[in-house]
Amino acid sequence: MAVDLQGKRVTILAADGVERVELEQPREALDRAGARTEVLSVDEGEIKARENDLDPAGTFGVDGLVAEASVADYDALVLPGGTVNPDKLRIDEDAVAFVRDFVENGKSVAAICHGPWTLIEADVATGRTLTSFPSIRTDLRNDGANVVDQEVVVDKNLITSRSPEDLPAFSEAIVAQLAGTTTKEEKTS
């Protein structure tokens, strides 16, 4: 059965240093399902992508500034990783407020790899079951999250994954949540 996300709008919040595949693959899955995706950032123009955090991997055009965006205009938010990207986002007040508003409004937020750093800064990780890249799990625990080691974790409106290897399950979970269906890994508490 094909999933139809026609009419759904999804924003991908990213900055320079974004891990290319962590932006591309969820976006492609959402686009194939019929959603409309847009890249928001803290600066206009283009953002520089990376491969394995170190190697230049091209650019992505920015569709709008997070400072000018409204949570009400979107159905879901994707937070790709790379170490530099979320580090830039978590020091930007507008980006942090945008993430916080998304979570508090019960809208889907999907974060992969180092993307959950922004969840910590937005003060929305406490009490939630999450996964991430191993190097930031201590940060999540210190913020009060229940950290598990699974390819994808769905805790209400938060979807998290560990690394690029988990992208198929991560992308499937985002599409499933927007479609109102569930995946085998869903945690409903």
Side-chain angles (χ1 to χ4, degrees):
M1 180 169 82
V3 175
D4 184 4
L5 298 180
Q6 291 293 325
K8 300 285 187 182
R9 288 184 68 195
V10 180
T11 184
I12 301 163
L13 181 56
D16 284 337
V18 65
E19 187 69 24
R20 181 173 200 88
V21 295
E22 292 176 8
L23 190 154
E24 270 182 339
Q25 287 188 25
R27 185 178 209 179
E28 288 170 1
L30 288 159
D31 288 345
R32 274 194 313 272
R36 182 172 147 208
T37 57
E38 297 176 3
V39 175
L40 294 180
S41 191
V42 296
D43 295 308
E44 295 176 317
E46 294 182 331
I47 54 174
K48 296 173 188 157
R50 296 302 225 193
E51 182 179 339
N52 300 318
D53 245 354
L54 301 173
D55 300 319
T59 60
F60 290 100
V62 172
D63 298 306
L65 295 174
V66 69
E68 298 170 358
S70 172
V71 170
D73 292 338
Y74 301 98
D75 299 292
L77 168 64
V78 177
L79 297 169
T83 55
V84 174
N85 165 52
D87 202 46
K88 287 181 180 275
L89 294 177
R90 68 185 182 151
I91 61 170
D92 185 274
E93 290 178 19
D94 294 315
V96 171
F98 193 71
V99 172
R100 182 182 309 112
D101 289 348
F102 247 94
V103 175
E104 289 177 352
N105 281 290
K107 293 188 175 196
S108 299
V109 176
I112 189 166
C113 198
H114 288 74
W117 257 344
T118 314
L119 300 176
I120 294 168
E121 197 64 36
D123 200 24
V124 296
T126 305
R128 303 302 288 270
T129 299
L130 306 170
T131 195
S132 69
F133 195 75
S135 67
I136 71 163
R137 290 182 187 160
T138 298
D139 297 340
L140 286 165
R141 282 187 199 96
N142 287 343
D143 195 52
N146 174 37
V147 180
V148 296
D149 184 12
Q150 294 174 290
E151 70 178 356
V152 66
V153 176
V154 179
D155 183 347
K156 299 178 186 167
N157 61 324
L158 291 182
I159 301 165
T160 52
S161 283
R162 302 170 298 195
S163 70
E165 289 77 27
D166 300 331
L167 279 164
F170 180 68
S171 299
E172 178 186 342
I174 298 166
V175 171
Q177 190 165 87
L178 276 173
T181 59
T182 60
T183 63
K184 63 182 177 181
E185 300 290 332
E186 185 159 350
K187 176 183 174 8
T188 56
S189 64

